[in-house]
Amino acid sequence: MNTLFNQSLNVINAGLAGFADNIRQAGGEVTHLNWQPPALGDIAAGLALARLLNHPLVEAANQQAMSQYLAAQPVLVDVLAASEAIPAMAERKLILHAGPPIAWDDMCGPVRGAIIGAILFEGWATDHAAAEQMARGGGVALEPCHHYGAVGPMAGIISPSMPLWVIQNKTNGQRTFSNFNEGLGKVLRFGANNDEVLQRLYWMRNELAPAMQAAVRQLGEIELKPLMAQALHMGDEVHNRNAAATGLLIKRLLPALLQTSTSLSTLQTVVSFIVGNDHFFLNLSMAASKAMMDAAANVPFSSMVSVMARNGVNFGIRVSGTGDQWFQAPANPVEGLFFPGYGVADAAADLGDSAITETAGLGGFAMASSPAIVKFVGGTPADATANSLRMQSITIGSNPAFTLPALNFAPTAAGIDIRKVVDRNILPIINTGIAHKAPGVGQIGAGITTAPMPGFVEAIQALALRIQQHEEAQQ
């Protein structure tokens, strides 16, 4: 004991930083751990988490969900109108939006603006006021894209006559869908809805979609997983940077397109549009990620996240072991770079279905492969690498199909585990665009955000309850 007291004081401090400051002032050495109690200090949730850690049912279910995710083979097989691809859209006036369910009165400005634009696009109303009245009065049904196997970036709007990419998982035959990417700036997905936006949508429906359909059918299918893996090696993370992936896609599409009966004038405008839009592949990346995550969904007792999505108000997650149940919390703001003349006060909260890429181990999870992304979303290349490494702490495993050259070709972290998120207080990181909070303005920047913790805490309690009920039924 005397020997101990004669040694220099070296303390490990966990919790309040003030205690560490006092030790330093007294001349002692201190290592401060930025520790917080798990589950936001909720005792009941903390106990539920403790029951789930190393639980044999959860561990076995996670291995099954992870195996099904890794086995998924998403391929582009067709282009169809939404009313053809999703039968419910042919049966009633239905518009799909990004994120978890939300009523019109609670929606953010960009989503409202995009819905108004979609109503005008469909010809259901002749002016903005009538379109808004129709949406507000329930004249059109508004539901999440994810409820129909679909995804859409930012506002995520899909209406019946919009063209969709059709992705099929060759492993299980399930299909997923996404709309076409309009480019950047004043576009529908950021809430813009003027005549310029509508004219572009008409052209995409009437000329771009038939050309893409003809090319895809000429090819038969395009395997997306190898294309995405190659893009990671070329500087993309296939969420906010898709320059390489778009280039690889056009290399596949153009020779097939030349073999179709597409007119020269249409060919010229279509190719010009695609090569001028580095984000063209984004929607395909999202639908492919959706196919991979749907393969891992609905595995009883799994703690693996199958969906992350935002509607500009709330951030929602779904967990494989709790089925179609949403766990929601207010969406976090986005920290990033703004276009000239805009700032934080102008921005909507986190928005869009594109976080499905992070859910699948891409996007923010693969930032190490895309150092150039920081010029678009902020930070440094070192930050990008650190983000990819940090995500390894909250995942079940990794995906050997997607590797990161900057990390010695280590596989991307994949399979977000709600237990690790809550236990380690590490939130999934997401790259995203920033929409103006007012309808009709459009994109004003891009940046980085995280999923909010309360949804994960709620999911922990729900999964623990399901397991408890199962165990009681077995007794």
Side-chain angles (χ1 to χ4, degrees):
M1 182 67 70
N2 289 334
T3 302
L4 177 65
F5 282 116
N6 287 332
Q7 294 176 359
S8 298
L9 184 63
N10 196 327
V11 177
I12 296 177
N13 180 67
L16 296 176
F19 291 155
D21 295 337
N22 291 336
I23 295 170
R24 290 192 186 96
Q25 291 173 5
E29 294 184 20
V30 59
T31 300
H32 176 64
L33 300 179
N34 188 19
W35 180 87
Q36 294 178 348
L40 300 174
D42 186 308
I43 295 175
L47 292 172
L49 171 63
R51 291 194 295 272
L52 294 181
L53 294 174
N54 298 316
H55 195 292
L57 282 177
V58 180
E59 298 300 330
N62 282 348
Q63 291 307 307
Q64 179 184 343
M66 193 69 181
S67 176
Q68 292 172 190
Y69 153 76
L70 292 173
Q73 295 294 334
V75 295
L76 172 60
V77 295
D78 209 349
V79 171
L80 295 172
S83 57
E84 296 179 80
I86 302 172
M89 301 200 77
E91 299 167 358
R92 57 193 173 119
K93 290 180 178 177
L94 172 62
I95 291 178
L96 306 183
H97 63 78
I102 187 169
W104 170 267
D105 288 342
D106 299 322
M107 288 178 174
C108 68
V111 174
R112 287 188 183 184
I115 289 171
I116 290 171
I119 291 173
L120 294 172
F121 172 72
E122 294 294 337
W124 295 338
T126 56
D127 57 51
H128 287 69
E132 180 173 356
Q133 181 58 41
M134 183 179 190
R136 187 184 302 277
V140 59
L142 306 172
E143 298 186 40
C145 290
H146 275 289
H147 289 188
Y148 294 89
V151 282
M154 300 308 292
I157 300 304
I158 296 174
S159 62
S161 67
M162 289 182 182
L164 301 183
W165 297 112
V166 180
I167 310 302
Q168 184 164 311
N169 179 1
K170 294 179 71 173
T171 305
N172 61 16
Q174 291 182 342
R175 288 188 166 190
T176 56
F177 315 98
S178 184
N179 49 12
F180 278 39
N181 194 282
E182 310 155 77
L184 297 177
K186 287 186 177 295
V187 290
L188 189 77
R189 73 177 186 276
F190 284 98
N193 54 26
N194 61 13
D195 187 63
E196 175 189 350
V197 172
L198 296 177
Q199 291 302 319
R200 185 188 303 113
L201 291 175
Y202 295 141
W203 174 81
M204 292 171 69
R205 179 185 65 188
N206 299 334
E207 293 192 39
L208 176 62
M212 292 296 95
Q213 182 188 70
V216 172
R217 291 181 177 180
Q218 178 70 29
L219 286 167
E221 65 180 36
I222 299 178
E223 293 190 3
L224 296 178
K225 209 168 176 180
L227 192 155
M228 294 160 73
Q230 186 177 356
L232 290 178
H233 292 180
M234 298 170 68
D236 283 358
E237 36 76 88
V238 291
H239 181 172
N240 260 321
R241 191 179 193 277
N242 286 277
T246 298
L248 293 170
L249 178 67
I250 194 64
K251 283 179 65 177
R252 297 294 308 277
L253 289 174
L254 185 54
L257 192 57
L258 290 171
Q259 297 179 49
T260 68
S261 59
T262 304
S263 69
L264 179 60
S265 60
T266 298
L267 184 64
Q268 290 172 331
T269 55
V270 163
V271 173
S272 176
F273 177 79
I274 296 175
V275 299
N277 178 8
D278 283 347
H279 280 69
F280 191 74
F281 187 81
L282 168 62
N283 299 47
L284 282 164
S285 174
M286 291 172 56
S289 297
K290 172 67 173 169
M292 290 186 278
M293 297 318 305
D294 276 3
N298 299 308
V299 177
F301 315 124
S302 172
S303 60
M304 182 172 168
V305 176
S306 57
V307 169
M308 294 195 298
R310 316 88 91 204
N311 56 31
V313 176
N314 292 324
F315 190 114
I317 66 170
R318 282 175 161 179
V319 179
S320 179
T322 57
D324 295 335
Q325 185 175 357
W326 287 96
F327 305 99
Q328 301 185 51
N332 289 334
V334 181
E335 297 182 7
L337 303 178
F338 289 87
F339 298 163
Y342 297 105
V344 175
D346 303 305
D350 196 16
L351 176 63
D353 286 333
S354 57
I356 194 66
T357 56
E358 278 81 6
T359 317
L362 299 163
F365 282 54
M367 285 181 72
S369 73
S370 185
I373 193 66
V374 299
K375 291 186 176 181
F376 189 58
V377 300
T380 66
D383 294 332
T385 299
N387 286 331
S388 292
L389 290 170
R390 189 170 174 79
M391 293 303 96
Q392 295 175 358
S393 301
I394 59 171
T395 52
I396 296 168
S398 58
N399 189 342
F402 300 135
T403 57
L404 307 175
L407 298 182
N408 198 26
F409 292 95
T412 60
I416 300 168
D417 189 337
I418 59 172
R419 300 175 303 171
K420 294 181 179 181
V421 172
V422 175
D423 186 40
R424 299 174 182 179
N425 278 309
I426 297 175
L427 295 169
I429 193 162
I430 298 162
N431 295 339
T432 187
I434 304 174
H436 197 286
K437 63 185 178 183
V441 177
Q443 184 180 12
I444 60 171
I448 295 174
T449 189
T450 55
M453 182 63 78
F456 292 89
V457 174
E458 184 184 354
I460 284 286
Q461 293 175 295
L463 182 60
L465 177 60
R466 289 198 179 208
I467 291 178
Q468 178 185 337
Q469 292 171 338
H470 170 77
E471 291 174 338
E472 290 174 351
Q474 298 300 307
Q475 294 176 356

mmCIF file of all heavy atoms in Angstrom, residues 367-368 371 374 379-389 407:
data_model
loop_
_atom_site.group_PDB
_atom_site.id
_atom_site.type_symbol
_atom_site.label_atom_id
_atom_site.label_comp_id
_atom_site.label_asym_id
_atom_site.label_seq_id
_atom_site.Cartn_x
_atom_site.Cartn_y
_atom_site.Cartn_z
ATOM 1 N N MET A 367 -16.491 5.729 -47.188
ATOM 2 C CA MET A 367 -15.866 7.012 -47.514
ATOM 3 C C MET A 367 -14.366 6.896 -47.719
ATOM 4 O O MET A 367 -13.767 7.706 -48.429
ATOM 5 C CB MET A 367 -16.160 8.032 -46.419
ATOM 6 C CG MET A 367 -17.570 8.578 -46.451
ATOM 7 S SD MET A 367 -17.860 9.809 -45.167
ATOM 8 C CE MET A 367 -16.917 11.193 -45.801
ATOM 9 N N ALA A 368 -13.731 5.898 -47.119
ATOM 10 C CA ALA A 368 -12.284 5.744 -47.271
ATOM 11 C C ALA A 368 -11.893 5.534 -48.726
ATOM 12 O O ALA A 368 -10.767 5.848 -49.117
ATOM 13 C CB ALA A 368 -11.787 4.578 -46.425
ATOM 14 N N PRO A 371 -11.795 9.765 -51.208
ATOM 15 C CA PRO A 371 -11.292 10.978 -50.546
ATOM 16 C C PRO A 371 -11.807 12.258 -51.177
ATOM 17 O O PRO A 371 -11.948 13.274 -50.499
ATOM 18 C CB PRO A 371 -9.762 10.853 -50.699
ATOM 19 C CG PRO A 371 -9.552 9.880 -51.822
ATOM 20 C CD PRO A 371 -10.708 8.934 -51.750
ATOM 21 N N VAL A 374 -14.959 14.593 -49.855
ATOM 22 C CA VAL A 374 -14.943 15.652 -48.839
ATOM 23 C C VAL A 374 -15.062 17.033 -49.465
ATOM 24 O O VAL A 374 -15.475 17.983 -48.802
ATOM 25 C CB VAL A 374 -13.668 15.555 -47.967
ATOM 26 C CG1 VAL A 374 -13.627 14.218 -47.241
ATOM 27 C CG2 VAL A 374 -12.408 15.764 -48.795
ATOM 28 N N GLY A 379 -15.084 18.248 -44.574
ATOM 29 C CA GLY A 379 -14.134 17.405 -43.866
ATOM 30 C C GLY A 379 -12.849 17.234 -44.646
ATOM 31 O O GLY A 379 -12.548 17.982 -45.578
ATOM 32 N N THR A 380 -12.061 16.223 -44.252
ATOM 33 C CA THR A 380 -10.770 15.949 -44.875
ATOM 34 C C THR A 380 -10.718 14.482 -45.291
ATOM 35 O O THR A 380 -11.511 13.658 -44.811
ATOM 36 C CB THR A 380 -9.624 16.220 -43.891
ATOM 37 O OG1 THR A 380 -9.700 15.266 -42.812
ATOM 38 C CG2 THR A 380 -9.710 17.634 -43.318
ATOM 39 N N PRO A 381 -9.769 14.113 -46.166
ATOM 40 C CA PRO A 381 -9.609 12.704 -46.501
ATOM 41 C C PRO A 381 -9.371 11.827 -45.272
ATOM 42 O O PRO A 381 -9.825 10.684 -45.222
ATOM 43 C CB PRO A 381 -8.403 12.706 -47.446
ATOM 44 C CG PRO A 381 -8.453 14.049 -48.105
ATOM 45 C CD PRO A 381 -8.927 14.983 -47.027
ATOM 46 N N ALA A 382 -8.646 12.367 -44.282
ATOM 47 C CA ALA A 382 -8.424 11.609 -43.044
ATOM 48 C C ALA A 382 -9.746 11.352 -42.322
ATOM 49 O O ALA A 382 -9.946 10.277 -41.748
ATOM 50 C CB ALA A 382 -7.454 12.365 -42.130
ATOM 51 N N ASP A 383 -10.657 12.332 -42.370
ATOM 52 C CA ASP A 383 -11.984 12.140 -41.771
ATOM 53 C C ASP A 383 -12.734 11.021 -42.481
ATOM 54 O O ASP A 383 -13.412 10.208 -41.838
ATOM 55 C CB ASP A 383 -12.808 13.428 -41.864
ATOM 56 C CG ASP A 383 -12.245 14.559 -41.034
ATOM 57 O OD1 ASP A 383 -11.589 14.270 -40.017
ATOM 58 O OD2 ASP A 383 -12.452 15.725 -41.411
ATOM 59 N N ALA A 384 -12.627 10.978 -43.801
ATOM 60 C CA ALA A 384 -13.315 9.951 -44.572
ATOM 61 C C ALA A 384 -12.841 8.567 -44.178
ATOM 62 O O ALA A 384 -13.643 7.637 -43.982
ATOM 63 C CB ALA A 384 -13.094 10.186 -46.069
ATOM 64 N N THR A 385 -11.529 8.403 -44.035
ATOM 65 C CA THR A 385 -10.974 7.114 -43.618
ATOM 66 C C THR A 385 -11.397 6.774 -42.200
ATOM 67 O O THR A 385 -11.775 5.629 -41.908
ATOM 68 C CB THR A 385 -9.439 7.148 -43.716
ATOM 69 O OG1 THR A 385 -9.069 7.378 -45.073
ATOM 70 C CG2 THR A 385 -8.830 5.842 -43.247
ATOM 71 N N ALA A 386 -11.359 7.763 -41.309
ATOM 72 C CA ALA A 386 -11.746 7.528 -39.914
ATOM 73 C C ALA A 386 -13.208 7.089 -39.807
ATOM 74 O O ALA A 386 -13.551 6.231 -38.993
ATOM 75 C CB ALA A 386 -11.503 8.792 -39.087
ATOM 76 N N ASN A 387 -14.061 7.678 -40.639
ATOM 77 C CA ASN A 387 -15.477 7.295 -40.607
ATOM 78 C C ASN A 387 -15.660 5.827 -40.984
ATOM 79 O O ASN A 387 -16.429 5.098 -40.355
ATOM 80 C CB ASN A 387 -16.281 8.182 -41.559
ATOM 81 C CG ASN A 387 -16.470 9.586 -41.018
ATOM 82 O OD1 ASN A 387 -16.498 9.790 -39.811
ATOM 83 N ND2 ASN A 387 -16.590 10.552 -41.905
ATOM 84 N N SER A 388 -14.965 5.378 -42.032
ATOM 85 C CA SER A 388 -15.084 3.976 -42.453
ATOM 86 C C SER A 388 -14.581 3.038 -41.367
ATOM 87 O O SER A 388 -15.171 1.979 -41.112
ATOM 88 C CB SER A 388 -14.298 3.751 -43.750
ATOM 89 O OG SER A 388 -14.896 4.435 -44.828
ATOM 90 N N LEU A 389 -13.482 3.399 -40.714
ATOM 91 C CA LEU A 389 -12.953 2.562 -39.640
ATOM 92 C C LEU A 389 -13.886 2.532 -38.435
ATOM 93 O O LEU A 389 -14.096 1.472 -37.822
ATOM 94 C CB LEU A 389 -11.575 3.086 -39.213
ATOM 95 C CG LEU A 389 -10.436 2.893 -40.231
ATOM 96 C CD1 LEU A 389 -9.194 3.657 -39.792
ATOM 97 C CD2 LEU A 389 -10.121 1.415 -40.401
ATOM 98 N N LEU A 407 -7.709 1.291 -47.360
ATOM 99 C CA LEU A 407 -7.551 0.481 -46.146
ATOM 100 C C LEU A 407 -6.976 -0.889 -46.499
ATOM 101 O O LEU A 407 -7.358 -1.903 -45.920
ATOM 102 C CB LEU A 407 -8.905 0.335 -45.431
ATOM 103 C CG LEU A 407 -9.533 1.639 -44.935
ATOM 104 C CD1 LEU A 407 -10.847 1.367 -44.214
ATOM 105 C CD2 LEU A 407 -8.574 2.391 -44.026
#
